Amino acid sequence: MTTFNDFGLHADINRALAAKDYTTPTPIQTQAIPPLMKGRDLCGIAQTGTGKTAGFSLPSIHHLLTYPHRANPRSCRMLVLAPTRELAAQIAQSCRDYGRFTKLSVTTVFGGVPINKQIRELSSGVDILVATPGRLLDLIDQRALRLDDVEIFVLDEADQMMDMGFIHSLRRIAKLLPSRRQNLFFSATMPKEIAHLAEQFLEDPVTVSVTPAATTVEKISQYSTFVEQKEKQALLHSVIASEDIDRALIFTRTKHGADRVVRHLAGAGIKAMAIHGNKSQSQRTHALQAFRSGDIKLLVATDIAARGIDVSGVSHVINFEIPNVPEQYVHRIGRTARAGAEGKAISFIAPDERPYMRDIERVTRSKSEPMPLPENFNELVRNLPKPAQPPRDTGSQGRNPQRQREDALRGRDGNKPRGDRGPRRDGAPAGEGAEGQRKRRFRPRNKSVGAHKGAVKRVG
Ligand code: AMP
């Protein structure tokens, strides 16, 4: 069996791995690290949870240490692009962990926070820069950063980037990169459009593919309950009371829906927090920390906000609403059963969500076990405690309260729950924070670019 010592990684990296108690490389690490150490380009078909971050960052850190030199001002030596702030922050943290015995500098830049601090951090140059595409281009436009010194370029979660409408940003960034560089490209799925995008970045790549999603899904016990949409909250309270939960992630399709679930839980004296694109960065970080530390056991999230969340010990994923794109389901339930642990996924299926569940079961080649409603369910529904009043500061950013009230009166709430607006087939969770704004601005007109979203994709 391969061990980390077999890769010939720099001693400082091996020390960091030992400190993290990593002994055995995961399959993607075993496949990706040797060709990356030789400087090859790589196309990786892998999702979060497979260990891909170490797969790309360990050999990259090795390269930076093997050819040491100071980064030029307003430049970086390694650039990692990620679709969301959470994922960017997490990748940066992994790089810091793996590089903790080195002097390499790691910086993260993403939207939704003031740009000036980021401009200052970049001014003297950084070794590893982890960025979301929109903010990266803003910094380039402000002449705070140039990309001509990039030696290693990593594009992570390419399929999510496409779904979020970052295609034009990516094309612009590609033109700014130097021609001599090592390229790493990761995507959970590889439909034609993503493969085409990969071709634009990669030169004679090694392709590695790990853990088909179906296998990941098989490790998770999946249950589903048919329930009316308006009775889901009562079911949630019942599940929380009856299940042995260490940590549960509860997924809703909308930001408004996530807040409503939290308020209902608060009304019943159950502590939970929400994480979504309308929360400020510090609120999101605070909620994640509370969840990680065990201060709260329940985190309610929308898909984009939860993408890439890496919290160990998530015993349950509860699909309060069913995603209409099967891959979202795979990403959601992949938050549990991390690194070989067992997990449980429970889906609440309203009548109009049944077709989504059928699609999910076909794509994941798995079937969830029926979980009947509790015997006293009608009573639970009748006695459901009233939701708590929304706190004065709901965390909504940039929305004037007066305007919100006016919108509500006119029935113009952009956050209206999906169920009220009818199903949406493109699978794009609408308007998630600054990056979501971009999505609307840059959504490609050319149909073929986004066409993969409607198609049934092979997972993994
Ligand atoms: P990733 O897919 O990169 O998000 O990694 C998923 C999780 O697995 C993270 O919590 C990593 O810290 C952890 N991990 C990655 N590689 C290993 C390894 N070789 N042994 C144990 N845990 C690992």
Side-chain angles (χ1 to χ4, degrees):
M1 199 201 285
T2 314
T3 69
F4 278 109
N5 286 332
D6 299 330
F7 295 134
L9 289 161
H10 194 283
D12 288 346
I13 301 175
N14 283 332
R15 251 180 96 194
L17 293 175
K20 276 187 87 70
D21 273 339
Y22 288 9
T23 48
T24 318
T26 66
I28 185 116
Q29 291 160 3
T30 307
Q31 291 180 56
I33 294 176
L36 288 175
M37 296 278 281
K38 291 190 187 126
R40 293 284 303 268
D41 278 10
L42 183 106
C43 180
I45 305 165
Q47 57 194 54
T48 22
T50 53
K52 72 181 153 96
T53 316
F56 69 71
S57 47
L58 300 179
S60 302
I61 293 172
H62 175 84
H63 166 93
L64 298 176
L65 295 173
T66 310
Y67 304 95
H69 68 81
R70 267 187 76 86
N72 287 318
R74 294 185 295 282
S75 290
C76 62
R77 296 187 63 196
M78 174 178 177
L79 172 65
V80 185
L81 287 185
T84 63
R85 326 165 201 192
E86 277 75 21
L87 186 61
Q90 207 164 283
I91 293 170
Q93 189 51 49
S94 296
C95 291
R96 285 187 193 104
D97 288 350
Y98 304 137
R100 63 187 275 203
F101 297 110
T102 75
K103 291 203 166 67
L104 294 176
S105 54
V106 182
T107 295
T108 331
V109 297
F110 42 66
V113 292
I115 200 167
N116 287 341
K117 183 164 166 269
Q118 298 175 352
I119 292 176
R120 278 197 303 279
E121 279 177 11
L122 292 173
S123 63
S124 53
V126 297
D127 292 308
I128 301 172
L129 177 64
V130 190
T132 53
R135 179 52 64 94
L136 184 86
L137 284 170
D138 289 346
L139 286 158
I140 291 169
D141 290 341
Q142 296 205 20
R143 302 195 185 287
L145 177 72
R146 38 193 301 164
L147 300 183
D148 13 12
D149 286 343
V150 172
E151 294 160 52
I152 303 166
F153 172 67
V154 184
L155 203 163
D156 200 10
E157 308 234 342
D159 51 352
Q160 182 77 353
M161 295 263 195
M162 294 286 268
D163 280 354
M164 292 175 74
F166 280 134
I167 181 70
H168 296 297
S169 305
L170 295 181
R171 291 216 177 104
R172 250 195 87 196
I173 292 166
K175 288 199 191 113
L176 300 170
L177 291 164
S179 52
R180 257 180 74 87
R181 59 172 204 258
Q182 186 180 22
N183 299 290
L184 287 65
F185 186 100
F186 289 91
S187 186
T189 56
M190 196 54 69
K192 258 204 321 251
E193 292 72 19
I194 309 282
H196 181 64
L197 180 71
E199 275 167 25
Q200 297 172 19
F201 283 97
L202 300 169
E203 213 182 297
D204 186 25
V206 174
T207 299
V208 300
S209 172
V210 294
T211 330
T215 318
T216 313
V217 167
E218 275 159 17
K219 280 201 313 210
I220 300 163
S221 324
Q222 299 174 74
Y223 298 87
S224 54
T225 303
F226 292 134
V227 58
E228 293 296 326
Q229 180 67 32
K230 61 180 187 304
E231 295 175 350
K232 283 184 174 181
Q233 192 74 39
L235 180 60
L236 179 63
H237 292 207
S238 150
V239 165
I240 290 169
S242 60
E243 290 285 323
D244 188 11
I245 293 177
D246 289 332
R247 278 195 192 87
L249 259 173
I250 300 162
F251 282 95
T252 61
R253 266 204 300 246
T254 64
K255 301 175 257 197
H256 184 80
D259 285 335
R260 202 170 29 194
V261 168
V262 170
R263 282 203 304 276
H264 261 105
L265 290 171
I270 304 168
K271 223 163 108 185
M273 286 185 187
I275 175 167
H276 56 61
N278 272 9
K279 298 279 182 190
S280 68
Q281 189 54 40
S282 65
Q283 285 171 318
R284 290 160 79 149
T285 309
H286 173 64
L288 261 182
Q289 267 166 1
F291 190 54
R292 250 194 207 112
S293 69
D295 264 3
I296 53 160
K297 282 183 164 195
L298 308 171
L299 187 67
V300 188
T302 56
D303 287 292
I304 289 197
R307 180 91 181 192
I309 287 181
D310 177 23
V311 177
S312 55
V314 174
S315 56
H316 290 70
V317 167
I318 298 172
N319 293 307
F320 192 87
E321 278 148 346
I322 308 300
N324 47 9
V325 174
E327 280 72 18
Q328 287 296 17
Y329 177 86
V330 175
H331 282 298
R332 284 182 181 188
I333 73 169
R335 307 299 99 209
T336 178
R338 308 284 278 185
E342 303 241 316
K344 193 165 180 179
I346 303 174
S347 299
F348 297 178
I349 307 171
D352 66 342
E353 293 173 318
R354 291 187 190 198
Y356 303 155
M357 203 60 203
R358 276 198 292 277
D359 279 357
I360 288 166
E361 294 186 340
R362 189 161 39 80
V363 170
T364 60
R365 300 186 291 274
S366 68
K367 213 163 169 45
S368 56
E369 246 179 76
M371 192 171 91
L373 288 170
E375 271 175 18
N376 58 343
F377 190 57
N378 287 341
E379 202 182 311
L380 285 176
V381 171
R382 269 197 311 276
N383 298 333
L384 185 70
K386 292 247 169 315
Q389 288 299 313
R392 267 217 214 111
D393 173 17
T394 59
S396 295
Q397 275 186 315
R399 288 201 73 194
N400 162 341
Q402 172 66 25
R403 174 76 175 279
Q404 278 178 321
R405 270 194 299 277
E406 286 167 9
D407 284 355
L409 287 172
R410 284 192 215 110
R412 274 203 307 155
D413 186 353
N415 284 331
K416 231 175 160 189
R418 171 79 44 218
D420 300 350
R421 283 185 284 164
R424 180 184 164 137
R425 292 304 307 183
D426 67 357
E432 293 279 358
E435 303 287 354
Q437 304 276 330
R438 246 167 238 296
K439 166 179 161 182
R440 280 191 294 282
R441 241 172 44 218
F442 294 125
R443 179 158 297 287
R445 294 215 176 276
N446 177 355
K447 270 207 174 122
S448 69
V449 174
H452 71 281
K453 286 198 291 294
V456 175
K457 288 173 266 179
R458 196 180 74 78
V459 183

